[in-house]
Amino acid sequence: MESIVTIRLGLQRVYHCCRSPDKPRLSMIGVEVQVAASIQSLPAPFHHDGSLLYLCQIGYDDEASMDKVVKGRVWKYGDDVNTDVIFPGKYTYTVNDPAEMGEHAMEDLDPDFATKVQPGDVIIAGKNFGCGSSREQAAVCLKVKGVGAVIAPSYSRIYFRNGVNTGLPLITSKEVQEHFESGDEIEIDFDKGVIKGAKGEWSFPAFSDFVFGIMDAGGLIPYTRKRLGIDA
């Protein structure tokens, strides 16, 4: 007898399939879920061959690569920008599409952000950026809006990990805040580890090869897929 199984994968996106008692395992290590041969209709990003259900992608671009140089304008904020204002909690379980998440980016802090931010723009903030809830959407919403990087003296530990996992560059620097205002032009060279503005240049700690590899791949899921040699 088959039973209905709910699969919840990142970004709160939920799908259902049938599972037989003789195939009880749901494994999220790697990218496969063991299911029954009679799988119900499933939307992309899933593919199945009759016995295995493969996760192709959820909110990530397998063909993405990190821009080594980003140029844009500054959006400047203060200390303790928490995840509730980056991505409001009221949308956590109702907004599942990454593009729609972007439309609510910074909504409770800066209502103009989502409609005016341009690809390559950079957020410069104070200490403890991303504090509060650990929701992944607070990193995803900035990534899908094309934010080139966030620069802050420090980050919430979990937010930093979410940023890396979604391919959002988070630069640690406490030197640049006083030299930029909202609307200023900024350039970041990730290979050289240099931030450039009208008032000068500042260096920042280079990402480790491992972290850079994840971000260059577009996030942890496409990075893992490439490492495992799994095609989309």
Side-chain angles (χ1 to χ4, degrees), residues 130-227:
C131 57
S133 167
S134 62
R135 67 178 63 103
E136 180 184 5
Q137 296 95 326
V140 173
C141 71
L142 300 183
K143 173 69 175 179
V144 299
K145 292 303 290 185
V147 171
V150 179
I151 305 173
S154 61
Y155 299 87
S156 157
R157 174 180 58 85
I158 296 176
Y159 190 86
F160 189 87
R161 292 175 67 89
N162 284 340
V164 172
N165 290 345
T166 57
L168 174 66
L170 303 179
I171 296 171
T172 302
S173 174
K174 59 183 179 181
E175 299 178 346
V176 303
Q177 283 73 13
E178 63 183 279
H179 301 292
F180 288 92
E181 298 298 334
S182 290
D184 288 350
E185 294 183 354
I186 189 170
E187 177 180 326
I188 301 173
D189 188 319
F190 290 101
D191 281 339
K192 295 180 180 179
V194 173
I195 300 166
K196 299 179 181 180
K199 296 181 180 179
E201 298 184 4
W202 302 266
S203 60
F204 62 89
F207 298 121
S208 69
D209 291 341
F210 177 64
V211 169
F212 192 90
I214 293 174
M215 292 192 294
D216 189 46
L220 183 60
I221 288 178
Y223 172 83
T224 303
R225 290 179 54 80
K226 290 177 182 178
R227 293 275 294 181

Side-chain angles (χ1 to χ4, degrees), residues 46-75:
F46 292 101
H47 163 73
H48 69 84
D49 63 4
S51 61
L52 289 177
L53 173 66
Y54 296 96
L55 168 63
C56 295
Q57 64 178 38
I58 287 200
Y60 300 88
D61 183 356
D62 278 358
E63 302 302 321
S65 62
M66 178 180 170
D67 290 332
K68 304 306 187 293
V69 177
V70 297
K71 298 179 181 180
R73 294 193 177 276
V74 169
W75 295 79

